[in-house]
Amino acid sequence: MPLVTSTEMFKKAYAGGYAIGAFNVNNMEIVQGITEACKEEKAPVILQVSKGARAYANHTYLVKLVEAAVIECPEIPIVLHLDHGPDFETCKSCIDGGFTSVMIDASSKPFEENIEITKKVVEYAHDHGVVVEAELGTLAGIEDDVNVAAHAASYTRPEEVEEFVAKTGCDSLAIAIGTSHGAYKFTPDQCTRNEKGILVPPPLRFDVLEEVSKRLPGFPIVLHGSSSVPQEYVKMVNTHGGKMPDAVGIPEEQLRQAATLSVCKINIDSDLRLTMTGTIREFFDEHPDKFDPREYLKPARANIKETVRHKLVNVLGCAGKA
């Protein structure tokens, strides 16, 4: 099937109590690992591209990689989505360039300005058959060009969501309930430690999510910054020359709970980066004589596939929903 929008995906996910995985892509191996897992698990998927990915890999290359995945995986619905579009011009470029979904992130702007910018993107996107994700509230952390200090983060205000959605016409809404971008989602001071000395992050604000859901019944909600930072790969990175002390993510059981509510899209990026980096570090450490990129990218791709498979089955609940 050709690239699709997320409209039908989200309707089914909302009704079925599961979420669609939105995985960031930057190169061929990441695209292959994600889509091969989705194909085998019969799961719908959103492949998302950030401004930084477009700068790194080039818009055309990324679109063609995703189009190749569509050819290789005709059984599953695939959305090509712009993650954190910073302005109208970037969104327009992606809409004109083959994307089926875009996010306009004006969450750092005042409320009325966020509405104005989002509405402009929505009008252009809908005229071209493309859907739009918007954001209210500000997540902490670092992801490509998005860099928000913890003190500048803010939870979504439920009393604003109805007016925002009504005035903008957006198709889904990213909210801030305690998730965070990057591999260092929380400082040690924000966490407690369990009996093994492992950091335990503060719980997500499900009260905010539930209030938003009441005010927007049936409307798809999105969670950004939702990598769980798997400790086996943090350990792999650190064992083989890396330095990632106190990297901690969102507990998977909390993400699964969110997926049973109104959250229809969960963004995952750092987990794939950790999987790839840990695998490659281990390979170089164990095979210092090797220099063929195919030899170290092949196991990295295989481990990305297994990381994604785990998310589809155990976290998102979307396996078998294609």
Side-chain angles (χ1 to χ4, degrees):
M1 66 178 76
L3 284 169
V4 300
T5 71
S6 54
T7 303
E8 290 303 315
M9 279 187 190
F10 288 168
K11 286 180 181 177
K12 293 177 180 177
Y14 198 105
Y18 61 89
I20 311 298
F23 301 97
N24 287 70
V25 298
N26 299 279
N27 62 16
M28 181 184 76
E29 288 78 16
I30 294 174
V31 172
Q32 289 174 324
I34 295 166
T35 54
E36 286 173 13
C38 292
K39 180 179 180 179
E40 292 179 12
E41 294 297 333
K42 298 179 173 58
V45 68
I46 297 170
L47 300 179
Q48 57 185 27
V49 172
S50 66
K51 177 185 175 183
R54 291 176 83 228
Y56 166 75
N58 181 288
H59 174 103
T60 303
Y61 280 106
L62 290 168
V63 170
K64 294 304 178 183
L65 283 171
V66 173
E67 289 177 354
V70 170
I71 293 170
E72 291 297 314
C73 306
E75 311 93 333
I76 61 171
I78 299 175
V79 172
L80 176 54
H81 175 74
L82 170 66
D83 188 27
H84 287 290
D87 48 45
F88 174 81
E89 290 72 22
T90 303
C91 292
K92 181 180 183 298
S93 175
C94 290
I95 292 165
D96 294 343
F99 283 52
T100 55
S101 175
V102 296
M103 179 202 185
I104 175 64
D105 183 2
S107 60
S108 63
K109 309 291 186 183
F111 183 69
E112 293 298 335
E113 189 176 351
N114 190 351
I115 288 176
E116 181 183 352
I117 296 169
T118 301
K119 183 179 179 181
K120 183 179 179 181
V121 173
V122 167
E123 289 173 348
Y124 188 83
H126 286 182
D127 283 346
H128 293 77
V130 172
V131 296
V132 178
E133 173 188 328
E135 181 167 340
L136 269 180
T138 308
L139 272 67
I142 300 173
E143 181 183 5
D144 289 348
D145 293 333
V146 180
N147 188 339
V148 179
H151 66 82
S154 61
Y155 291 116
T156 299
R157 292 164 57 87
E159 61 270 23
E160 294 180 339
V161 298
E162 293 162 287
E163 179 184 356
F164 184 86
V165 169
K167 287 186 174 180
T168 62
C170 65
D171 302 283
S172 61
L173 184 65
I175 65 171
I177 62 169
T179 56
S180 176
H181 292 123
Y184 300 92
K185 299 188 184 298
F186 307 98
T187 65
D189 290 343
Q190 293 174 293
C191 303
T192 57
R193 290 187 184 271
N194 64 18
E195 64 281 0
K196 297 179 181 179
I198 297 172
L199 291 176
V200 178
L204 298 181
R205 287 288 303 274
F206 281 99
D207 58 322
V208 174
L209 174 59
E210 289 167 1
E211 183 61 28
V212 169
S213 303
K214 288 178 184 176
R215 292 171 179 267
L216 296 174
F219 194 81
I221 301 302
V222 177
L223 287 188
H224 283 244
S226 295
S227 284
S228 296
V229 189
Q231 292 303 298
E232 66 267 29
Y233 283 108
V234 173
K235 182 179 180 181
M236 190 183 292
V237 168
N238 291 334
T239 299
H240 298 284
K243 292 182 179 179
M244 295 190 68
D246 295 330
V248 63
I250 310 299
E252 291 186 336
E253 62 272 16
Q254 293 188 37
L255 296 174
R256 185 71 197 98
Q257 182 181 348
T260 65
L261 301 171
S262 58
V263 172
C264 296
K265 174 177 180 275
I266 293 180
N267 290 13
I268 298 167
D269 184 12
S270 295
D271 287 355
L272 303 190
R273 297 184 185 193
L274 280 167
T275 299
M276 174 168 268
T277 299
T279 304
I280 292 173
R281 278 190 174 277
E282 182 180 69
F283 184 93
F284 283 155
D285 211 5
E286 296 178 352
H287 305 279
D289 58 319
K290 300 292 186 180
F291 62 92
D292 185 343
R294 294 171 296 184
E295 293 193 67
Y296 57 81
L297 289 173
K298 185 176 180 180
R301 178 177 60 192
N303 282 348
I304 284 174
K305 179 178 176 180
E306 292 311 308
T307 292
V308 171
R309 189 196 309 278
H310 166 74
K311 300 290 184 181
L312 300 173
V313 175
N314 300 304
V315 181
L316 302 162
C318 63
K321 305 298 185 181

